[in-house]
Amino acid sequence: MRRLLLSALGAFPAGLRAAPAGLNGHAVRGGRPAAAPDDGLSGTGGTAPAPDRHRPSPGRGRGDTVRAWTELFRVSALFSVPGDALAGAAAVGRSPGRGTALAIGASLCLYEAGMALNDWADREEDAVDRPHRPIPSGRISPSAALGAAGALTAAGLALAARAGRPALAVATGLAATVWAYDLHLKHTKAGPAAMAAARSLDLLLGATATATAYAGTGPGPRATRPMRLGAVPPTGPDNVARAAATTGSLLAALPAALVLGAHTYGVTAVSRHEAQGGSTAVPLAVLATTTALAAAVLATQQRQRPGEPATPGLAATAPGSSHRPDHPHHPTAPATPDLGAPPPGTYRPSHHPHHPHHPHHPHHPAAPAMPDLGAPLPGTYRPSHHPHRPTAPALTPLLLTAFTGAYLRTAGPPLLHAALNPSPPLTQRAVGGGIRAMIPLQAALAARAGAPGSGLAVMALVPLARSLARKVSPT
């Protein structure tokens, strides 16, 4: 019997008598390969868990290629970009239009170009600190990432050129700042300032593109625009109007750009410690800055002129706005001077302006029409000083408070946690929270400028950004 059993065992192939090895050398248990120990580590030497990191799939199929590019571009952070242009358009007192759409497209291209260039420049560092990134893991070649950065930069500049030369000039400065940061400034003390300048320029790009587009079209069709007597009908954009619109838009949008730049400076300062951690002072300082920025945005509600309705925002006090006391239809507007009245201290009975037979008396049939001294010259259109800007709804202060509260809730708690425990995973969460907090901050800036509709449109991106952040890390 024993001989029979040994003979039967000898009939089996040798490969079936040995326990097969599983993937990566781990033995199979229960007919399935044993799971490899997933330590989920990141940071220098793999010493800290990375809760926001997503392991790449080991395959090389089409799905894995798409996922690799989404990780390279950090598409979950992409939703923080459109709000820059919308906040810029609101800062110049204009509704989003064709120029705003072109600015958003240019911003998206330049933002993604910076993401690809960032990973290309950090490929050697990521091979140690983040080996799961697309380039160190071999899923995307360095040349492909660099080529994508160049192509996206060219596309962004082309879209900005469609919005006008002023917008192209701002976009060129933005692209130069992005490339300078990724290639050199990132690892210097000027890194956070360069990143803040890039985000501020992005908001100014939206403001300039929107204002320039309106300067080229005017308040209505080109054929109905008033022109000076004897002027030749224009066949192209009014260069004078465009230059005035560019200067006015940059000045009007500068406060909002500085607020957004200050927030970006803080997020960048925290991100410099996300691989190793260990910094407590930086998250605390950024938390204080975040609180100060929120207070500055809300403080706009309290600064109102006497007799002016409670409408926050820079546009509510912009020259030519219907909320200004010097607007001709404002209840406290100054009286139009009587140009036919004699100088003070002079009395001439036969020329008294209030005599019913005086030609300048308002009830005289031949009385001349009084000019509107607050109106622009014929043929001149100033988009940032449009006299017929609609009144902001009374709901704007409530929305402004809600948006600012959402900004604090998104950025504040992760920063506090990172200050209490400056480990790499908590620092990375603080960076991710700071990136997502840009969306409610942009919405608050738009509402402050009297554009609650744009603020609501920006806030609609929050669920999309949160949902995609669960699949692709924004940092």
Side-chain angles (χ1 to χ4, degrees):
M1 186 66 178
R2 180 178 180 183
R3 185 177 301 174
L4 181 61
L5 290 175
L6 291 176
S7 176
L9 288 174
F12 282 85
L16 295 181
R17 285 182 293 174
L23 298 177
N24 300 325
H26 295 282
V28 176
R29 296 189 182 97
R32 296 181 181 179
D38 185 7
D39 50 9
L41 302 181
S42 68
T44 304
T47 58
D52 295 332
R53 296 295 185 268
H54 303 274
R55 291 283 182 182
S57 57
R60 297 290 180 182
R62 181 176 181 181
D64 184 68
T65 302
V66 172
R67 180 174 180 82
W69 283 101
T70 59
E71 291 179 8
L72 180 75
F73 289 140
R74 296 173 174 87
V75 293
S76 60
L78 202 61
F79 296 99
S80 68
V81 177
D84 291 343
L86 293 176
V92 297
R94 283 299 181 181
S95 300
R98 175 179 177 273
T100 315
L102 291 172
I104 292 176
S107 299
L108 291 173
C109 290
L110 294 177
Y111 187 85
E112 294 293 39
M115 290 296 184
L117 185 64
N118 175 78
D119 274 29
W120 179 85
D122 289 348
R123 59 189 184 279
E124 295 180 359
E125 179 182 341
D126 287 345
V128 177
D129 293 339
R130 297 179 174 183
H132 59 276
R133 292 295 300 167
I135 294 180
S137 63
R139 291 176 292 156
I140 295 179
S141 65
S143 59
L146 183 60
L152 287 169
T153 300
L157 293 178
L159 289 173
R162 296 290 302 274
R165 292 182 179 178
L168 176 60
V170 177
T172 302
L174 173 58
T177 304
V178 169
W179 280 73
Y181 173 82
D182 285 334
L183 297 180
H184 176 66
L185 297 178
K186 180 193 309 181
H187 300 292
T188 66
K189 294 182 178 180
M195 202 66 171
R199 183 65 73 160
S200 297
L201 285 172
D202 198 31
L203 188 145
L204 294 177
L205 173 60
T208 304
T210 303
T212 304
Y214 274 100
T217 59
R222 182 178 297 275
T224 63
R225 291 180 61 190
M227 296 185 299
R228 296 183 180 89
L229 183 63
V232 179
T235 57
D238 188 348
N239 293 331
V240 176
R242 284 180 179 269
T246 302
T247 304
S249 63
L250 291 176
L251 293 177
L254 187 58
L258 292 177
V259 169
L260 198 59
H263 172 78
T264 306
Y265 186 99
V267 175
T268 308
V270 175
S271 69
R272 296 164 76 91
H273 303 276
E274 65 176 343
Q276 290 82 18
S279 175
T280 300
V282 174
L284 279 178
V286 175
L287 180 60
T289 303
T290 301
T291 306
L293 291 176
V297 173
L298 288 175
T300 312
Q301 296 185 97
Q302 309 301 328
R303 294 197 299 264
Q304 298 164 6
R305 298 173 183 264
E308 190 172 4
T311 51
L314 299 176
T317 57
S321 173
S322 59
H323 303 303
R324 288 178 58 90
D326 54 356
H327 190 274
H329 300 294
H330 194 275
T332 61
T336 303
D338 186 359
L339 302 181
T346 303
Y347 181 73
R348 291 178 292 175
S350 59
H351 297 85
H352 196 276
H354 299 292
H355 194 276
H357 299 292
H358 193 276
H360 292 286
H361 192 275
H363 299 292
H364 194 277
M370 290 293 101
D372 184 2
L373 301 181
L377 294 176
T380 302
Y381 180 67
R382 297 177 293 173
S384 61
H385 300 84
H386 195 274
H388 302 294
R389 178 178 175 83
T391 303
L395 193 61
T396 300
L398 182 59
L399 290 176
L400 176 60
T401 304
F403 296 157
T404 308
Y407 165 64
L408 286 174
R409 288 195 306 271
T410 305
L415 287 171
L416 181 60
H417 295 160
L420 296 176
N421 181 13
S423 61
L426 293 182
T427 304
Q428 292 160 10
R429 285 176 177 171
V431 174
I435 294 175
R436 292 188 295 270
M438 289 182 185
I439 300 178
L441 179 59
Q442 294 160 348
L445 292 174
R448 185 186 72 163
S454 296
L456 290 173
V458 173
M459 286 299 293
L461 301 175
V462 172
L464 298 176
R466 184 183 295 113
S467 175
L468 197 56
R470 298 189 182 100
K471 302 178 181 178
V472 180
S473 173
T475 63

